[in-house]
Amino acid sequence: MQTPIKTLFMRGGTSRGPFFLESDLPAEQAQRDKVLLAVMGSPDPRQIDGLGGGHPLTSKVGIVRKSAVPGVDLDFLFAQLQPNKDTVDTTPNCGNMLAAVVPFALETGLASAQGEQTTLRVLTLNTDMQCDITVQTPGGQVAYEGDARIDGVPGTSAPITINFLDTAGSVCAGLLPTGQVRDVIDGVEVTCIDNGMPLVLFKAQAVGRTGYETVEALNADTELKQRVERLRIACGHAMGLGDVTSKNYPKMTLIAAPRDGGNISTRSFIPHVCHDAIGVLAAVTVATACVLRGSVADGLAIVPEGEAKVISVEHPTGEFSVDLALDPADPQKVVRAALLRTARLIMRGEVMVPQSLLEK
Ligand code: NQM
C-alpha cells in the first residue's frame, strides 16, 4: 500500500525540489527523514525510484509553515539530500530553494497576496536567519512569467528579490570562524568565511588550476577533487565544524581574477561536485570576502568604491550579482545583502510513499 502526501514541485533559483506544508509530514524527525528519502529516491545515484534528479541541486526539499515568531510571516526548513547517500541534512541554508517559499505559501493559502507585489518576512529555521522576499502578485496571483533572467536557468521569469537581514556566522560561530581573514591550511592560503554559507576560498592557482576550467573538466579531475577534499577536512577542524567528512559543508570555492566583466571568478564545489553556477548564500559569502581587506580575494577581486557595492560573481554559466550594503561606521562590515532570483511552480499533486513509513 502507498500513502499520498500533498506537494508542490518547484524550481527555486537554480535548484529544484518538492515543497511540503510542515503539517503534511511526520512530526517526528527520524520518521520524516525516512519519508523524504523515499520521496526523493535516495540513496541511488539516479534516484530512479523518486523525484530526485541525480544531482545535489535536484535533491532538495522545502518545508514551510506559518511562523509563530512576532514580525515573521513564514518559517522555512531546507533539507539537503544526496543522490547516493541516505542523509537528510538540515544544517546549512539554501538561498535558491528559499526563492520558492513565498510562491509556495501563496499557492497553498498559507499567506495572502498584498497587492501587485507581496513582501513577506521568512525565517530560515536551518540557521535562524531572516530575510524579506518580494514576489510579483498582480490580481492576487503569483506571477511566474516576466523579464528577469538569472544565469543557470533558461529563459526569463518574474523577478523575486531576497533581502538578507543578518547572515554572518550561519553554521559557524562567526563570520571568520578561524579568527583570521587569511590562514595557511594544509599548505594552501585560504579564507574561511561564513556569511550565510560556510566556505573555504582559495586561489585556483594555489592548487595548480586556472579557475576557468569547465564544470565537466573539474568533475572529472580526480586528483584535484582529492586535494580539495583533504583541504576541506583540515579547514573543517580549523573552522570549529569538527570532522566534516560526511557533512555537506564547508563548500570549497576556487577563485581567479574576473575575465567577463564581473568582480571575481569562481568555481564552487558543493562540496564534492562542481556547481554549474554558484549557490545564493555562497555568492553572498564570496562577495563578502571580496570586500574584506587581507582575504585571499584581496588583490584578485575588482571591488567598486562606495558603501553600496554590487559584486558580480562570475561562475561557469554566467554571473551572480550581489548587492552589498556596508556599515558606514565600519566599511569592513556587511550589513545587508540583496539579490535577484526567480522561481516556478512546475507541478502540483501528491507524492506516493510506502504506507509502512507513516505507521508509528
Ligand atoms: O548557497 C548549492 C544552491 C546551493 C545552495 C549548495 C544555495 C546557497 O545552489 O544559498 O543556494 O551550495 O549546495 O542551491
Side-chain angles (χ1 to χ4, degrees):
M1 290 286 285
Q2 298 207 92
T3 301
I5 305 178
K6 276 192 244 158
T7 187
L8 298 190
F9 196 58
M10 306 193 72
R11 174 179 66 75
T14 52
S15 289
R16 190 188 73 198
F19 277 73
F20 298 95
L21 289 172
E22 186 195 56
S23 53
D24 286 335
L25 290 173
E28 202 259 314
Q29 190 193 315
Q31 194 183 21
R32 180 203 69 195
D33 289 354
K34 279 189 195 147
V35 167
L36 295 182
L37 287 163
V39 164
M40 300 306 277
S42 293
D44 169 45
R46 292 172 304 154
Q47 294 172 314
I48 198 72
D49 207 23
L51 295 177
H55 191 283
L57 298 180
T58 50
S59 299
K60 301 187 170 206
V61 173
I63 304 171
V64 186
R65 69 180 183 205
K66 234 188 205 6
S67 187
V69 177
V72 176
D73 300 294
L74 300 166
D75 293 342
F76 168 54
L77 183 71
F78 158 65
Q80 175 74 65
L81 284 80
Q82 293 290 346
N84 51 359
K85 291 190 195 156
D86 64 356
T87 52
V88 178
D89 188 0
T90 56
T91 314
N93 296 314
C94 177
N96 274 306
M97 290 291 274
L98 181 61
V101 170
V102 173
F104 171 82
L106 295 170
E107 295 281 359
T108 52
L110 209 54
S112 307
Q114 297 162 339
E116 293 297 289
Q117 287 192 343
T118 299
T119 300
L120 298 180
R121 182 154 292 184
V122 179
L123 170 68
T124 298
L125 298 175
N126 302 71
T127 65
D128 202 23
M129 169 190 82
Q130 294 190 14
C131 64
D132 289 329
I133 303 182
T134 303
V135 306
Q136 306 301 307
T137 47
Q141 301 288 315
V142 183
Y144 294 104
E145 285 175 27
D147 296 333
R149 205 182 63 78
I150 58 170
D151 286 325
V153 178
T156 63
S157 314
I160 295 177
T161 49
I162 307 182
N163 222 313
F164 290 107
L165 304 169
D166 174 23
T167 43
S170 68
V171 176
C172 300
L175 180 71
L176 297 170
T178 68
Q180 310 208 85
V181 73
R182 189 189 287 230
D183 298 274
V184 176
I185 297 179
D186 196 16
V188 180
E189 279 203 327
V190 294
T191 290
C192 300
I193 178 166
D194 174 1
N195 199 19
M197 182 64 77
L199 291 191
V200 177
L201 268 75
F202 52 99
K203 290 181 182 154
Q205 274 184 359
V207 289
R209 304 297 185 275
T210 64
Y212 307 120
E213 291 82 2
T214 62
V215 172
E216 295 71 30
L218 291 171
N219 280 333
D221 191 342
T222 314
E223 186 197 317
L224 174 70
K225 283 177 30 178
Q226 283 168 356
R227 177 74 190 94
V228 169
E229 184 61 3
R230 211 177 72 205
L231 177 62
R232 194 177 80 87
I233 288 165
C235 291
H237 288 291
M239 293 167 87
L241 296 170
D243 180 6
V244 296
T245 311
S246 61
K247 294 181 179 160
N248 292 308
Y249 54 86
K251 320 271 174 172
M252 304 300 285
T253 311
L254 283 69
I255 58 170
R259 59 169 195 176
D260 291 316
N263 301 90
I264 183 99
S265 177
T266 60
R267 295 292 183 269
S268 180
F269 280 88
I270 57 167
H272 300 125
V273 283
C274 182
H275 203 306
D276 296 306
I278 188 167
V280 171
L281 287 148
V284 170
T285 303
V286 168
T288 303
C290 288
V291 303
L292 287 186
R293 222 173 297 117
S295 81
V296 288
D298 194 357
L300 207 58
I302 299 169
V303 181
E305 294 297 317
E307 274 161 27
K309 296 187 193 292
V310 178
I311 304 285
S312 164
V313 179
E314 296 177 3
H315 57 66
T317 48
E319 69 84 42
F320 191 128
S321 290
V322 182
D323 197 341
L324 294 180
L326 305 184
D327 185 346
D330 178 3
Q332 291 288 285
K333 191 166 174 216
V334 171
V335 287
R336 191 185 59 83
L339 45 92
L340 171 72
R341 292 282 84 188
T342 64
R344 191 169 80 85
L345 171 61
I346 299 170
M347 194 212 75
R348 68 168 85 236
E350 293 167 340
V351 59
M352 307 302 292
V353 296
Q355 195 181 330
S356 57
L357 292 179
L358 292 156
E359 282 159 7
K360 292 260 168 196

